[in-house]
Amino acid sequence: MEIDIIEFVPLAVLLPLFGAAFTFAFYRNRATQRAIAIGTLIITALLQIVLLSEVWTGGAYAVNLAGWPAPYGIAMVIDRLSALVLVISSIITLAVLLYAVGQGAAEERDDAGPVSIFFPTYLILVAGISNAFLAGDLFNLYVGFEIFLTASYVLLTMGGGEARIRAGVTYVVVSILSSMLFLITIGLIYAATGTVNLADIALKVSELDPGMQLMLHVLLLVAFGIKAAVFPLAFWLPDSYPTAPAPVTAVFAGLLTKVGIYAMIRTETLLFPGDRINTGLMIVAALTMIVGILGALAQTDIKRMLSFTLISHIGYLVFGLALSSIAGMAATIYYVAHHITIQTTLFLVTGLIERRAGTANVDRLGGLAKISPLLGILFFIPAMNLAGIPPFSGFLGKMGIMQGGIAENTWITWTLVTASVVTSLLTLLAVSRIWSRGFWRRAEDVEDCEPILQQKTLAHTRAANKRLLPASMVLPTATLVTMSLAFTVLAGPLMDFSRTAAQDLYERTPYLEAVLGEGRIDSVREDLHEFTLDNMIDVDTGDDGAAEFAPVETSLQPESEDPEPGGDQ
Amino acid sequence: MGVMLAVGIYLMLERSLTRVVLGIILLSNGVNLLLLQTGGRAGRAPLVQDGIDAQEYFDPLPQALLLTAIVIAFALVAFMLALIYRSWVLARQDEVTDDEEDRRVAQAVGAYDPEEDAEVDTETSEFSDPSPDSASDLPPVISPAEHFRGHNDEPEEDR
């Protein structure tokens, strides 16, 4: 019997779960726990890379658990979008785990309880994220959300210090509230359509009353919006994230909000396509960008500043999502991949700064560039990348989204393009303030500088560098910085891939066929195709339209590129 | 169900953590009832028997979903209780507290602001009527966002 590798999709969830079980079993032996956790994540990452390569050529694929056919059983679906985010997330989680091992975060918390819980909880978090990315029905998505949220509660409050408990309570209550909202929506959707399978809902929901559709749509978006930290619902994020240990914050910032965005992309494209609430989404996106970045400018603590930029850059993703065009969606997918990496890297680097200098408050930092040029490079590259300075991937992603907006050419998209440019300029201001104060300012000029930054001799500084910046922490960070640079080098193929993924998302038939089988889809194929053509701007334009405003072109010929009106800086 | 949701939300708006937990319990149970209702009218137990029309069975899926939701809510409530107990042991408080760093940032902005505005006033006073009191009229605390909006605008007006 021939076994297809793609049948192993559920292992992406099961492996980390098994790993968690084994790490619990070896709770006495920390070295074994560490080895199991790292080994599990490496195997998971390899499996997901193989899956990505399968999906790269083959397209969407669904695995029906226990052999129950789709609308009745639980399906796990992997398509181009989910495969890409899965691979990115597993690489990120692996790097963060190595960093955490280097930092000794796991060991430090040893005294807090009878069982060492860092590794198993971390693996459960990974399993939950994978489950959410692969879920083929709404309820499984909910379960995935709950798995990783519960793990994140534990990670956030780990150690049980006062500040963490305080931040944890807010975070837990807000998350529970959004989960309840999600559950209510699932109940209503089931009552309205009689199914929770995403593909099945996609077919049945269009038969509903338009008002009912709108209500379900908005309810889902609000539930996901809280998780993704979209503007009016983002208040909890800068309050809770900065208190956690650096590796935990890094993986939260990089991944958890992106799962919300992923769920929004699925909802927008699969369940409720069309442009009914796009204007509303765009207004929300603009507010998210502007308010987030203004908040970032007020902060002196680097971690809090980064949390606010995280919110503001979620605005870009919502903007790209609201465009309802393949160009916009392709850029959004690329930007999701870029932003997961960048945000995680920046938080890891901030962890390094905090460790080296004893604080992450820029008012008390100074002279870091002189003390540790390596740290300077590690901060500078992702910071510029976040602000969207041309050679980096942030620029390519932002420009792709803006080009999508310009192609749509309505007043609201032009407003959004302007807001994006302003936001990325303000991001540049925010990160360069940190750079000039924390790195370039002389340590002697700082009023109440941390004493560790004012060492007399070079030998002292080197010794402190060696002690406080161990290679086991710097290497994972450097790997992630390299990976973010790879997004620029590989922008061509990656953007092609995102474009195909976006096309799949908007055509919907690949996903539906994979889940429900071709027979069921054939009867409605014409309708779906017509609907897509009616609603999308540039479906089926082929290469003619692509050549006009494809971001791929710009990445290949950077020197001959004429600056776009919307291109930042 | 509606009453449970309403009371749950009302309790969650309280500052006291114990009431927030009670609110969460009520809310989650209200949602569970909602899930149960999506199954439609009551029917026979969903065990396949001969000679019974498919319409007469009760839809089993909502109950399966409900069971999962109950388990999840149970775990979350247990975790919340642990958090509250910890908060009580550590800080002897049962209330949602403000974010100190946030307060600090807001206050720093307020403390810094009049000073900055006073400087602008002395510069412009050569060309207009001197108004020494105008600086003290400003509200002492301005939210960070407002401050920076004002801050960015100022240099342009001066030029």
Side-chain angles (χ1 to χ4, degrees):
Chain A
M1 191 180 121
E2 192 181 331
I3 295 177
D4 202 350
I5 184 82
I6 204 155
E7 292 281 349
F8 290 115
V9 166
L11 277 186
V13 180
L14 284 181
L15 275 178
L17 272 185
F18 282 141
F22 277 115
T23 45
F24 267 129
F26 289 99
Y27 68 93
R28 283 174 209 282
N29 190 341
R30 199 126 304 122
T32 320
Q33 270 198 331
R34 197 164 54 214
I36 291 175
I38 295 175
T40 315
L41 281 189
I42 289 176
I43 296 172
T44 317
L46 288 179
L47 171 81
Q48 287 170 352
I49 290 172
V50 173
L51 287 177
L52 176 68
S53 65
E54 288 278 317
V55 173
W56 194 295
T57 51
Y61 190 83
V63 176
N64 295 318
L65 296 185
W68 290 90
Y72 310 109
I74 297 172
M76 297 200 113
V77 190
I78 186 163
D79 67 347
R80 290 191 170 91
L81 170 65
S82 48
L84 181 69
V85 284
L86 264 183
V87 168
I88 302 279
S89 74
S90 63
I91 294 173
I92 294 286
T93 44
L94 181 60
V96 173
L97 181 70
L98 292 174
Y99 178 98
V101 167
Q103 191 191 22
E107 284 87 345
E108 272 169 24
R109 316 276 163 242
D110 186 23
D111 304 334
V115 183
S116 116
I117 49 173
F118 177 80
F119 290 116
T121 319
Y122 192 81
L123 287 176
I124 290 174
L125 181 85
V126 176
I129 292 175
S130 303
N131 193 18
F133 283 147
L134 288 173
D137 66 79
L138 269 182
F139 201 78
N140 204 10
L141 187 64
Y142 167 76
V143 173
F145 267 117
E146 285 306 318
I147 293 174
F148 78 72
L149 281 176
T150 312
S152 77
Y153 305 152
V154 177
L155 286 176
L156 188 73
T157 54
M158 206 168 51
E162 201 176 327
R164 282 186 195 160
I165 294 286
R166 189 200 59 72
V169 167
T170 322
Y171 176 69
V172 173
V173 171
V174 170
S175 302
I176 289 179
L177 198 61
S178 91
S179 297
M180 287 305 154
L181 205 54
F182 188 18
L183 200 54
I184 290 175
T185 319
I186 291 176
L188 293 179
I189 286 182
Y190 184 75
T193 62
T195 177
V196 287
N197 184 293
L198 281 173
D200 211 18
I201 297 173
L203 293 184
K204 283 179 178 163
V205 82
S206 55
E207 296 160 12
L208 293 176
D209 179 49
M212 177 65 102
Q213 281 188 39
L214 188 65
M215 185 196 77
L216 296 176
H217 189 175
V218 172
L219 268 175
L220 267 187
L221 282 185
V222 170
F224 295 145
I226 297 179
K227 287 175 172 124
V230 177
F231 158 60
L233 312 168
F235 51 89
W236 54 270
L237 192 145
D239 191 8
S240 53
Y241 278 11
T243 49
V248 173
T249 317
V251 77
F252 282 13
L255 288 174
L256 298 199
T257 50
K258 303 307 176 302
V259 186
I261 286 287
Y262 169 84
M264 282 170 93
I265 292 179
R266 272 272 175 266
T267 323
E268 277 295 299
T269 56
L270 189 64
L271 301 188
F272 303 98
D275 50 5
R276 277 184 82 188
I277 63 164
N278 279 358
T279 309
L281 270 183
M282 285 195 198
I283 294 170
V284 167
L287 287 173
T288 312
M289 288 185 209
I290 299 291
V291 173
I293 202 64
L294 287 178
L297 284 172
Q299 306 299 325
T300 54
D301 186 300
I302 304 181
K303 277 178 161 185
R304 291 179 63 89
M305 192 281 289
L306 287 177
S307 304
F308 275 103
T309 59
L310 168 63
I311 296 176
S312 113
H313 286 238
I314 293 290
Y316 285 99
L317 299 174
V318 178
F319 174 32
L321 165 70
L323 280 173
S324 269
S325 69
I326 286 189
M329 184 55 79
T332 310
I333 294 171
Y334 180 81
Y335 201 78
V336 167
H338 144 83
H339 197 241
I340 291 178
T341 320
I342 286 304
Q343 204 73 41
T344 311
T345 318
L346 276 171
F347 272 105
L348 289 185
V349 176
T350 312
L352 287 178
I353 293 175
E354 202 173 13
R355 202 174 149 85
R356 178 64 186 84
T359 178
N361 189 337
V362 272
D363 284 344
R364 309 184 62 189
L365 290 177
L368 277 172
K370 194 175 164 193
I371 291 170
S372 172
L374 176 67
L375 198 58
I377 294 172
L378 286 182
F379 181 80
F380 188 75
I381 293 177
M384 290 300 113
N385 204 336
L386 183 74
I389 298 297
F392 296 121
S393 53
F395 170 72
L396 301 174
K398 280 178 191 174
M399 204 174 67
I401 294 177
M402 287 179 199
Q403 280 172 330
I406 292 167
E408 203 143 310
N409 202 10
T410 57
W411 64 271
I412 182 90
T413 56
W414 278 104
T415 318
L416 258 288
V417 169
T418 319
S420 321
V421 176
V422 171
T423 307
S424 68
L425 279 173
L426 289 176
T427 313
L428 184 64
L429 177 64
V431 291
S432 54
R433 256 172 33 136
I434 296 210
W435 174 257
S436 56
R437 298 179 74 182
F439 286 82
W440 271 354
R441 184 166 58 164
R442 278 151 44 121
E444 298 87 66
D445 296 345
V446 187
E447 264 177 39
D448 53 345
C449 186
E450 291 290 326
I452 197 161
L453 293 174
Q454 295 174 316
Q455 250 124 14
K456 293 283 178 287
T457 65
L458 194 61
H460 276 108
T461 313
R462 288 223 173 108
N465 272 349
K466 204 170 181 184
R467 180 163 47 85
L468 292 171
L469 301 175
S472 54
M473 285 169 78
V474 173
L475 270 182
T477 320
T479 315
L480 285 186
V481 172
T482 321
M483 184 168 142
S484 70
L485 290 178
F487 280 134
T488 310
V489 180
L490 301 177
L494 201 60
M495 202 52 112
D496 277 343
F497 180 76
S498 314
R499 177 165 280 270
T500 328
Q503 196 140 1
D504 282 358
L505 283 177
Y506 278 122
E507 280 178 4
R508 298 201 285 166
T509 37
Y511 188 95
L512 297 179
E513 265 175 26
V515 180
L516 296 175
E518 288 188 26
R520 178 101 184 270
I521 303 304
D522 278 338
S523 53
V524 288
R525 190 187 299 276
E526 286 303 310
D527 294 345
L528 286 173
H529 193 63
E530 222 165 81
F531 185 86
T532 317
L533 283 184
D534 284 350
N535 283 280
M536 302 306 148
I537 302 168
D538 51 356
V539 170
D540 289 346
T541 46
D543 280 340
D544 300 325
E548 213 176 310
F549 52 82
V552 180
E553 293 290 313
T554 59
S555 73
L556 292 174
Q557 308 130 11
E559 65 283 333
S560 67
E561 184 214 321
D562 196 16
E564 281 280 331
D568 36 353
Q569 300 104 42
Chain B
M1 181 197 86
V3 175
M4 284 173 86
L5 290 185
V7 175
I9 287 171
Y10 177 77
L11 282 174
M12 283 183 84
L13 295 175
E14 295 272 345
R15 254 185 122 79
S16 158
L17 286 178
T18 321
R19 295 191 186 186
V20 170
V21 170
L22 290 176
I24 288 176
I25 295 172
L26 275 177
L27 195 64
S28 64
N29 282 328
V31 175
N32 290 343
L33 281 182
L34 177 95
L35 274 183
L36 188 65
Q37 283 180 354
T38 60
R41 280 188 303 140
R44 300 178 68 92
L47 300 170
V48 179
Q49 292 164 355
D50 289 338
I52 293 179
D53 190 35
Q55 296 290 328
E56 286 181 35
Y57 294 119
F58 186 70
D59 186 357
L61 187 72
Q63 298 187 10
L65 304 187
L66 176 62
L67 200 60
T68 320
I70 289 175
V71 175
I72 291 174
F74 173 69
L76 291 182
V77 167
F79 187 76
M80 273 300 288
L81 284 174
L83 273 188
I84 291 169
Y85 177 69
R86 188 80 186 162
S87 167
W88 178 250
V89 167
L90 283 175
R92 287 281 147 189
Q93 64 182 4
D94 176 44
E95 290 204 333
V96 180
T97 42
D98 288 333
D99 186 359
E100 281 159 29
E101 176 75 11
D102 203 30
R103 289 282 146 288
R104 208 182 58 70
V105 169
Q107 272 171 5
V109 169
Y112 187 60
D113 213 25
E115 190 188 309
E116 208 176 45
D117 282 334
E119 206 180 354
V120 175
D121 268 343
T122 51
E123 276 174 11
T124 52
S125 63
E126 290 174 28
F127 307 104
S128 61
D129 290 336
S131 54
D133 291 339
S134 63
S136 58
D137 289 343
L138 288 165
V141 176
I142 298 178
S143 77
E146 277 174 14
H147 165 65
F148 274 96
R149 211 171 296 136
H151 187 71
N152 290 340
D153 287 342
E154 272 164 22
E156 289 169 14
E157 285 165 11
D158 288 347
R159 275 181 235 131

